[in-house]
Amino acid sequence: MNAIVQLTLDEKARLDRDQLEVLYVQLGPAGADKLVNHALEELAVALARVEKHHRAGRMIDVQKGVKGVVSIAQQIGMTTLARVARDVQELSDTTDGAAYCAAMARLGRIGESSLMAVWDIQDIPV
């Protein structure tokens, strides 16, 4: 008897709302919105570049790119995304290609869900 198993790849992004609150207190609503919107744009571009470098096999550029992703993600409270990007960075230096590719795939999923999560909460007053 053969059973077909399908993995469901749905993982929620975790946001550090305290980090966002600090930004809103320090910068005010307009300043924080401007910073977060700019960070989201930069993050979307950085994630696309990392994926492009990954497909081209340019590991040094992948490592540089995920370092930038970590920095931006931490700034705006995207804790899960920062952690996954660090995993990609660590695995890019190993010979475990399967783990590295799995982490890259996860980075894409978490990146997308993180961007959506921040967009969704921007309308909620802090």
Side-chain angles (χ1 to χ4, degrees):
M1 178 172 165
N2 292 333
I4 297 176
V5 177
Q6 184 175 3
L7 295 175
T8 304
L9 302 174
D10 184 27
E11 183 177 4
K12 301 292 182 205
R14 293 179 193 231
L15 299 174
D16 181 354
R17 288 179 178 254
D18 292 339
Q19 176 63 25
L20 288 174
E21 186 175 335
V22 166
L23 291 175
Y24 277 82
V25 168
Q26 288 178 344
L27 304 174
D33 280 346
K34 184 176 179 180
L35 180 127
V36 169
N37 287 330
H38 179 72
L40 292 175
E41 290 171 13
E42 291 293 317
L43 198 51
V45 169
L47 288 166
R49 281 191 189 134
V50 167
E51 179 61 30
K52 178 181 173 184
H53 295 317
H54 164 68
R55 285 193 311 270
R58 297 170 60 182
M59 297 306 289
I60 291 173
D61 291 326
V62 168
Q63 292 169 345
K64 289 178 186 176
V66 294
K67 185 177 180 181
V69 169
V70 169
S71 178
I72 297 167
Q74 287 176 328
Q75 180 184 28
I76 59 174
M78 294 180 166
T79 55
T80 304
L81 181 59
R83 188 181 72 246
V84 173
R86 283 191 299 272
D87 291 344
V88 169
Q89 195 169 24
E90 289 176 22
L91 288 165
S92 67
D93 276 337
T94 69
T95 58
D96 192 344
Y100 165 73
C101 287
M104 276 299 302
R106 186 169 183 233
L107 181 65
R109 291 190 309 272
I110 294 296
E112 183 177 328
S113 64
S114 295
L115 291 170
M116 297 301 292
V118 172
W119 280 117
D120 288 345
I121 67 165
Q122 275 191 309
D123 294 330
I124 300 171
V126 189

